Amino acid sequence: MASHRKSRPVGTRVAGIRTPALATAALTSVALLSQSANAAPADDRPSLEEVEKKVDDLYRQAESATDNYNAAKEKTAKQHKQVDTLLDDVAQRTQKLNQAREELGSFAAAQYRTGAGASGTATFLLADTPQDYFDQTQLMGRLTNRQKGAVDDYVSEQSATMKKRQEASQSLQALTETQSDLKTAKATVQKKLADAREMLSELTAQEKARLAAIEKQKQEEAARKAAELAQQQAAAEEAAQEATAPQESTSTPTDSSYATKAAKALAFARAQIGKPYVWGATGPDSYDCSGLTQAAWKAAGVDLPRVTYDQVNAGTTVSLADAQPGDLVFFYDDISHVGLYIGNGMMIHAPKPGAYVREESIYYDGESAIHSVVRPA
């Protein structure tokens, strides 16, 4: 039979006194809790790599929001112009309508004075519903051809004016909605940039130094990848020249034409190196990424759309291996960044807020970040 006697707890001796095991366990728990409490802030604090990733993500989101801002801004400008044109048209038509109304009124007054018209004709002719003229065939029968022509003109002008007023009203409503989108995009950009700045400001001097070291390693890796691409492109170009030497005369004009335009675009871009990135900017003192590429190719006589997700469709897509100086290199799945390829795996671009227009490897954010390459001319 098993014994029901409880065994005595095993204790430890401290200064010759046996300490119950329960007390020992309690002391151990307190010690562990104390250690956990001290370690909690460090565990909750994100690692430097996580901070870097979050900051980069915030900058990317800000740049994507900048494209939305640019698109809304461009749309707002077009709608402003459209509304102004419509309102001018409405004003001119209203003036013509008033003149037609006055002419009809003079006819009605003359008929009333001579008794040619029925009582109240003057008031009727000045009504706001011209269609009533056609409903009163007996009155139309009394009108002269000139008067009928005046009525027809009035009815036509009234209809056109009402239509233009409706178009102007719809355009004003669309403009209001676009302005709201513009305001939202602007607020999003500012919020993302503020969050990124706050995260960076919380880093210690030691962490900032380590972050700079990580960034330097990324740049060195990007430069290595760019050098590899340059070698591959040089080898491919040499092989292509050997293979197509007899047909060189037929392909030169097209290549030469593009190279000439690309050289002008690149010369412009190089002249902007050192100018600050400013979201929504198109020069001449600052640029965002698509603002720089648009301005560079405009200097070469080629008009590009304003935003990256339109620029990516403004040309012929080519492989990265076939990229030539002047081509546009787009980044990320949402096509939120673009740079101008200068050869040897390098580009000129306006990187992000707080940075300046510069030359950099197209692998600055890793090979997977490259979306596509487009030849715009």
Side-chain angles (χ1 to χ4, degrees):
M1 179 179 290
S3 173
H4 294 283
R5 182 186 299 274
K6 294 183 179 179
S7 59
R8 294 184 62 183
V10 178
T12 58
R13 289 185 178 275
V14 178
I17 303 176
R18 181 180 295 275
T19 305
L22 184 60
T24 302
L27 289 174
T28 303
S29 299
V30 170
L32 289 173
L33 287 173
S34 177
Q35 291 176 1
S36 299
N38 292 333
D43 293 340
D44 291 342
R45 185 181 178 86
S47 68
L48 200 56
E49 288 76 9
E50 290 173 334
V51 170
E52 182 193 31
K53 185 179 184 306
K54 287 181 179 179
V55 169
D56 285 346
D57 286 345
L58 286 168
Y59 278 138
R60 274 196 55 208
Q61 291 169 24
E63 195 163 30
S64 180
T66 297
D67 254 3
N68 293 334
Y69 171 84
N70 290 336
K73 187 177 181 180
E74 188 176 42
K75 188 176 180 181
T76 297
K78 290 179 180 178
Q79 289 176 334
H80 261 302
K81 187 175 181 179
Q82 182 182 19
V83 168
D84 289 343
T85 300
L86 285 170
L87 291 178
D88 288 343
D89 194 6
V90 168
Q92 293 174 4
R93 289 184 178 278
T94 301
Q95 185 177 4
K96 290 175 64 177
L97 192 62
N98 290 336
Q99 292 173 351
R101 186 192 294 269
E102 290 174 2
E103 186 176 0
L104 288 176
S106 64
F107 288 153
Q111 285 187 337
Y112 184 76
R113 286 195 299 271
T114 59
S119 176
T121 297
T123 303
F124 178 74
L125 286 172
L126 293 176
D128 288 330
T129 54
Q131 189 59 41
D132 289 346
Y133 294 123
F134 293 106
D135 296 336
Q136 301 294 329
T137 55
Q138 67 275 21
L139 175 61
M140 292 298 293
R142 298 191 187 100
L143 299 177
T144 64
N145 288 336
R146 182 185 174 191
Q147 290 170 324
K148 288 180 180 179
V151 170
D152 290 340
D153 291 344
Y154 180 82
V155 172
S156 177
E157 198 62 43
Q158 176 82 343
S159 176
T161 302
M162 291 176 64
K163 183 179 179 180
K164 288 296 180 182
R165 284 175 177 169
Q166 185 177 11
E167 290 179 11
S169 176
Q170 292 172 344
S171 294
L172 281 170
Q173 183 178 356
L175 176 60
T176 301
E177 292 173 355
T178 306
Q179 287 175 327
S180 177
D181 293 341
L182 184 66
K183 184 177 180 181
T184 300
K186 183 177 180 180
T188 301
V189 174
Q190 292 174 330
K191 178 67 167 58
K192 299 299 182 185
L193 295 181
D195 289 345
R197 285 193 294 266
E198 183 179 357
M199 290 194 73
L200 290 174
S201 68
E202 292 176 353
L203 296 178
T204 65
Q206 185 177 6
E207 287 174 328
K208 289 179 180 178
R210 188 180 162 206
L211 193 62
I214 293 174
E215 182 64 23
K216 184 179 179 181
Q217 288 178 349
K218 287 175 60 177
Q219 290 177 355
E220 290 173 350
E221 174 63 16
R224 185 186 66 79
K225 293 285 292 183
E228 288 179 1
L229 178 62
Q231 291 177 351
Q232 294 170 4
Q233 288 181 328
E237 184 178 349
E238 184 178 353
Q241 287 177 350
E242 292 176 357
T244 60
Q247 304 164 353
E248 185 176 352
S249 59
T250 60
S251 61
T252 298
T254 301
D255 294 341
S256 176
S257 174
Y258 178 75
T260 300
K261 293 178 181 177
K264 292 180 180 179
L266 288 171
F268 179 93
R270 284 195 176 94
Q272 313 313 309
I273 290 177
K275 294 183 178 180
Y277 176 105
V278 174
W279 60 274
T282 56
D285 299 322
S286 58
Y287 297 89
D288 63 17
C289 66
S290 56
L292 176 64
T293 51
Q294 183 188 49
W297 270 104
K298 187 175 182 63
V302 177
D303 290 328
L304 293 181
R306 175 64 184 92
V307 296
T308 54
Y309 48 77
D310 288 332
Q311 289 184 4
V312 75
N313 296 316
T316 303
T317 301
V318 298
S319 68
L320 182 59
D322 293 330
Q324 294 181 13
D327 291 350
L328 302 177
V329 185
F330 294 90
F331 297 86
Y332 311 116
D333 292 339
D334 59 357
I335 318 174
S336 58
H337 189 67
V338 62
L340 194 67
Y341 191 63
I342 60 177
N344 297 327
M346 302 293 288
M347 66 178 173
I348 298 174
H349 70 148
K352 60 184 178 182
Y356 298 84
V357 176
R358 66 194 183 202
E359 290 188 12
E360 192 165 22
S361 167
I362 60 174
Y363 298 104
Y364 77 103
D365 202 18
E367 187 172 0
S368 62
I370 300 174
H371 177 275
S372 57
V373 180
V374 172
R375 190 159 299 154

